[in-house]
Amino acid sequence: AQSVTQPDIHITVSEGASLELRCNYSYGATPYLFWYVQSPGQGLQLLLKYFSGDTLVQGIKGFEAEFKRSQSSFNLRKPSVHWSDAAEYFCAVGARSGGGADGLTFGKGTHLIIQP
Amino acid sequence: KAGVTQTPRYLIKTRGQQVTLSCSPISGHRSVSWYQQTPGQGLQFLFEYFSETQRNKGNFPGRFSGRQFSNSRSEMNVSTLELGDSALYLCASSPDGGQAFFGQGTRLTVV
């Protein structure tokens, strides 16, 4: 069965500092990987996705993620965080290309706190 | 282009009642999926509909059901509500092969 682990429940970062959120997955075939962000009271917004090809993918809001097959990881990074980045971040693995919403498996999420 | 619309946004029901939640996907999207989000279990996949047919189903009891109409709008129904059904229910639509877009969710509280 597929699974996603986000080891950090909470992360606190100073505004302007760099950020890395960790994600490890378990999947039997080639994974399709996603990072979503959720602000309080809101739905999920897709930050970026990986299907194949270049293992470093760029997303919206200045985020990027690197797929490392040998480590089964898909860590999210941002060089300089802004106070507006405070939110809940979810890593997900899916069985179908294109980000189709059928059967995405999500991690438990990482709550990002930004210190002024 | 309008996003995914879920109604109602908030709902309070009593144990034993049933509830119906609605989701209007983005125009042109034929796939609609439902997820349950709780603090304890996180985001869990309920089911997916495509062209009025259930295509995929998560591990939830039969009290949870859904359907999709010819215009791709979808409803999910929960019968015999339990306290543990209190959650944020999220709907997502995609054109099947495209990016999944999530609605803002329906917050269901069972008392």
Side-chain angles (χ1 to χ4, degrees), chain A residues 36 38 41-44 46 49 90 96-104 106 108, chain B residues 9 33 35 37 40-41 43 45 48 55 92 94 96-100 102-104:
Chain A
Y36 285 88
Q38 184 178 37
Q42 302 296 313
L44 298 171
L46 181 68
K49 57 194 177 190
F90 293 94
R96 188 174 295 215
S97 64
D102 49 328
L104 288 174
F106 286 87
K108 295 291 190 185
Chain B
R9 289 292 310 279
S33 293
Y35 290 81
Q37 185 177 25
Q41 299 299 316
L43 280 152
F45 171 71
E48 184 227 2
R55 189 161 69 170
S94 82
D96 190 43
Q99 177 179 325
F102 281 82
Q104 291 193 307

Side-chain angles (χ1 to χ4, degrees), chain A residues 10-60:
Chain A
H10 300 277
I11 280 189
T12 300
V13 178
S14 297
E15 190 169 15
S18 63
L19 169 71
E20 183 170 30
L21 302 183
R22 296 182 290 165
C23 171
N24 292 97
Y25 67 89
S26 173
Y27 194 70
T30 302
Y32 299 109
L33 295 158
F34 313 89
W35 274 99
Y36 285 88
V37 62
Q38 184 178 37
S39 298
Q42 302 296 313
L44 298 171
Q45 182 181 23
L46 181 68
L47 287 174
L48 47 78
K49 57 194 177 190
Y50 172 79
F51 300 143
S52 64
D54 192 351
T55 57
L56 185 63
V57 293
Q58 303 296 322
I60 63 171

Side-chain angles (χ1 to χ4, degrees), chain A residues 40-81:
Chain A
Q42 302 296 313
L44 298 171
Q45 182 181 23
L46 181 68
L47 287 174
L48 47 78
K49 57 194 177 190
Y50 172 79
F51 300 143
S52 64
D54 192 351
T55 57
L56 185 63
V57 293
Q58 303 296 322
I60 63 171
K61 303 184 179 186
F63 286 94
E64 67 177 26
E66 186 171 13
F67 170 61
K68 293 185 177 179
R69 184 186 298 275
S70 62
Q71 298 176 21
S72 298
S73 69
F74 188 57
N75 295 348
L76 181 72
R77 301 194 294 249
K78 186 170 184 178
S80 176
V81 298

